[in-house]
Amino acid sequence: MTNIILLGPPGAGKGTQARRLVEERGMVQLSTGDMLREAKDSGTEMGNKVAEVMAKGQLVTDEIVIGLIEEKLAADGGAGFIFDGFPRTLGQADALGRLLARMGQKLDAVIEMQVDDEALVSRITGRYTCGDCGEVYHDETKPTKESGKCDVCGSSNLKRRADDNADSLRTRLMEYYKKTSPLIGYYYHAGELFQIDGLAEMNAVGDAISRVLDQQN
Ligand code: AP5
């Protein structure tokens, strides 16, 4: 089993590459963003609070996201877990270490996807996803082959996220630099950090991640 974290700012390509690893290697993607969007759609009191925080681009409390991850870790991890968008604070990183240790597992690599802010703005504002299968697209770099129809499942339920706008993105980036970027030093000191060029073309980014994973086996 190989457990990895994909670390990077909003729009770095974490979700895109996680989906690829699920397909190519049989790993299990754990995206706290996706889990929170599901909770948000549940219409519960907790879901409504989460929706408000996410729309502003702020971070949801550690307590909620750690609880969500803990639940998912109980399931079969296939060839390994891909933590996508988690951890995002030092508290979450400590909690993840404890949860993995309790399961007799460890973290094999933390892959930091480096992308500059300018590229992130165009990636985020051009993104849309399939509401049925979750495939991620982009107006310019990865449009659907047939307009309005998902290439993977054929659905016409293509959606844009409520937080994919310039205002929320500014807050999301600030949250990333203030609360999440300290994790780069945290995992560097633990000897688990690998840095890759997230600005490269999608397949080249995938190849760089594969090289890191192959070194772990
Ligand atoms: P989350 O859903 O995790 O969003 P995020 O971290 O902001 O990351 P994104 O999903 O926006 O981007 P990505 O890196 O996955 O990029 P993608 O592959 O889609 O979190 C949303 C919110 O939930 C947070 O703001 C917070 O409120 C809350 N939350 C989540 N986790 C939390 C936690 N742990 N603690 C507290 N709160 C939490 O790619 C983006 C676009 O670029 C796509 O259109 C794609 O096609 C394109 N693209 C990808 N790669 C390339 C490439 N190499 N070249 C060109 N285009 C590319």
Side-chain angles (χ1 to χ4, degrees):
M1 236 180 143
T2 307
N3 297 316
I4 63 163
I5 293 174
L6 294 181
L7 181 67
K14 305 179 293 293
T16 300
Q17 297 300 332
R19 287 178 66 79
R20 181 191 187 113
L21 291 171
V22 169
E23 218 171 274
E24 290 178 358
R25 295 187 180 238
M27 296 175 79
V28 172
Q29 177 186 11
L30 295 184
S31 157
T32 40
D34 287 347
M35 292 173 209
L36 290 165
R37 276 182 286 279
E38 267 172 40
K40 189 180 89 161
D41 294 339
S42 67
T44 58
E45 198 185 325
M46 191 268 254
N48 293 339
K49 268 192 210 148
V50 162
E52 216 176 287
V53 172
M54 286 176 84
K56 286 189 200 148
Q58 294 165 348
L59 292 190
V60 173
T61 63
D62 282 359
E63 198 192 352
I64 291 179
V65 286
I66 292 166
L68 289 171
I69 282 284
E70 191 169 6
E71 234 172 74
K72 297 282 179 183
L73 280 178
D76 181 6
F81 290 110
I82 308 156
F83 297 97
D84 161 11
F86 178 90
R88 262 176 150 100
T89 63
L90 291 169
Q92 292 179 21
D94 284 339
L96 178 61
R98 283 194 300 273
L99 288 173
L100 288 173
R102 207 196 291 161
M103 294 161 56
Q105 288 193 40
K106 63 178 178 50
L107 203 53
D108 295 285
V110 178
I111 302 175
E112 185 207 349
M113 303 173 69
Q114 299 178 316
V115 181
D116 61 46
D117 289 1
E118 210 178 304
L120 297 175
V121 176
S122 87
R123 283 194 187 181
I124 289 288
T125 50
R127 170 172 54 190
Y128 56 100
T129 51
C130 173
D132 289 350
C133 74
E135 187 66 7
V136 185
Y137 295 97
H138 189 276
D139 291 327
E140 281 150 32
T141 55
K142 194 190 163 192
T144 51
K145 292 193 183 94
E146 198 182 317
S147 173
K149 200 167 164 193
C150 176
D151 297 349
V152 177
C153 71
S155 163
S156 50
N157 183 19
L158 301 174
K159 305 200 283 202
R160 292 188 193 259
R161 271 169 46 179
D163 58 345
D164 278 353
N165 58 71
D167 268 0
S168 295
L169 179 59
R170 243 190 313 275
T171 310
R172 284 159 70 190
L173 281 173
M174 255 164 40
E175 292 281 75
Y176 178 78
Y177 291 118
K178 265 199 295 197
K179 297 175 185 166
T180 308
S181 67
L183 298 183
I184 297 167
Y186 177 98
Y187 287 118
Y188 172 78
H189 286 294
E192 290 160 343
L193 187 74
F194 296 82
Q195 294 173 310
I196 62 162
D197 178 13
L199 274 176
E201 183 273 323
M202 280 180 216
N203 289 328
V205 175
D207 291 345
I209 293 175
S210 287
R211 281 194 291 278
V212 172
L213 287 178
D214 292 340
Q215 283 172 37
Q216 310 308 311
N217 297 321

